[in-house]
Amino acid sequence: MSDALINGLAGAGGGIIAQIITYPLQTVNARQQTERDLKKEKRKVGTIEQMCQVVKQEGWERLYGGLTPSLVGTAASQGVYYYFYQIFRNKAETAALQSQKKGIGDGSVGMLSSLVVAALSGCVNVLLTNPIWVVVTRMQTHTKISKKDHSNRLATTSPEETALPVIEPLSYGTNHVIQEVYDEAGLLGFWKGVFPTLIMVSNPSIQFMLYETMLKKLKKRRALSKQGNNGVTALEIFLLGALAKLGATVVTYPLLVVKSRLQAKQVITGDKRHHYKGTLDAILKMIRYEGFAGFYKGMNTKIIQSVLAAAVLFMVKEELVKGVRLLLIKDCINNMKPKPL
């Protein structure tokens, strides 16, 4: 089994576990990012309070709306990302060793090379898995509104605001969303938000650059202080992953908000402020009508979710990789033992 395949499968497994643990936070965050009701914005609602509201008004299952396609997307994204990351990483390491033979560098992959490797892996991942995340975003931001509630809102809100709530059928499954997206924009609809998402490959690029840099320094320090023992514990991997994700999330969050706005259900009639024709149109309208603060809606929730998910992912992935390699070594040793005649 190749090293790339081991990392790809381990990444998929770690991603699934992290996704299940943090999914309610993702749902709340997607709603915060796509919230455009000015009355709701004036009243600050915390993450926990908003989760309780969702459970009370729509049922606890709405916190897990879109979980199935999300798990598929997570497994696909992490698997694809880690698989291609390992392939590109191996090529970068080979190139670094060849450069060392020529007297250039120390044979290790530098920060710039790590950034390029992560960016290339991210681009491949985005292009292949974006349709899944369009479906997930639609399901996360879908709100069940009863006819009674809708009638009350119509009677108490202005004409501009009445266009925002949308009554959907009670059954809003994956097949329904796929058909809805296709009816709205055809096949291209499944690649909505792909442009800001491609730019957002800088997030995992920054994340992995920070992670590997800190991991390399920690191993080096450990090797010097413990007579060549450069092993890293699961807790240390957890903390390194959390710190790396925190730094990457703060930098790229505005692009995530724009992507969510584009992938969520668009308001076709009524207030044109809330209908986006594309990435640039969304950015300009958000600046004009919401200010720069609109690009950071729900950031606190995202930081908690991202840091927790990344930390769990790195910890589980590293443990799975160690476990698989250990099993392969044991299997190899057993195969090498002479068989009794």
Side-chain angles (χ1 to χ4, degrees), residues 127-139:
L127 293 174
L128 292 178
T129 64
N130 194 76
I132 301 174
W133 299 114
V134 171
V135 173
V136 172
T137 301
R138 289 289 182 103
M139 297 181 75

Side-chain angles (χ1 to χ4, degrees), residues 150-170:
H150 186 63
S151 299
N152 291 337
R153 293 191 185 188
L154 288 174
T156 58
T157 56
S158 64
E160 285 188 348
E161 292 167 345
T162 56
L164 294 178
V166 179
I167 299 178
E168 297 288 354
L170 291 179

Side-chain angles (χ1 to χ4, degrees), residues 248-261:
T249 299
V250 171
V251 174
T252 61
Y253 189 77
L255 288 170
L256 182 61
V257 175
V258 174
K259 182 208 72 150
S260 296
R261 293 286 181 96

Side-chain angles (χ1 to χ4, degrees), residues 1 37 52 69 71 82-83 113 126 143 151 157 203 205 224 234 320:
M1 186 180 291
D37 190 331
C52 293
L71 290 177
Y82 280 111
Y83 180 78
S113 296
V126 167
T143 304
S151 299
T157 56
N203 183 293
S205 298
L224 293 174
L320 287 175

Side-chain angles (χ1 to χ4, degrees), residues 36-52:
R36 284 159 280 180
D37 190 331
L38 297 179
K39 286 190 174 181
K40 287 185 179 180
E41 290 178 12
K42 291 179 181 178
R43 182 174 177 269
K44 298 290 184 180
V45 180
T47 302
I48 301 300
E49 185 180 353
Q50 190 165 354
M51 289 174 67
C52 293

Side-chain angles (χ1 to χ4, degrees), residues 8 37 111 121 205 209 215 229 237 264 281 308 329:
D37 190 331
M111 290 181 64
S121 306
S205 298
M209 180 181 67
L215 182 62
N229 180 17
I237 293 293
D281 185 50
L308 179 59
I329 291 173

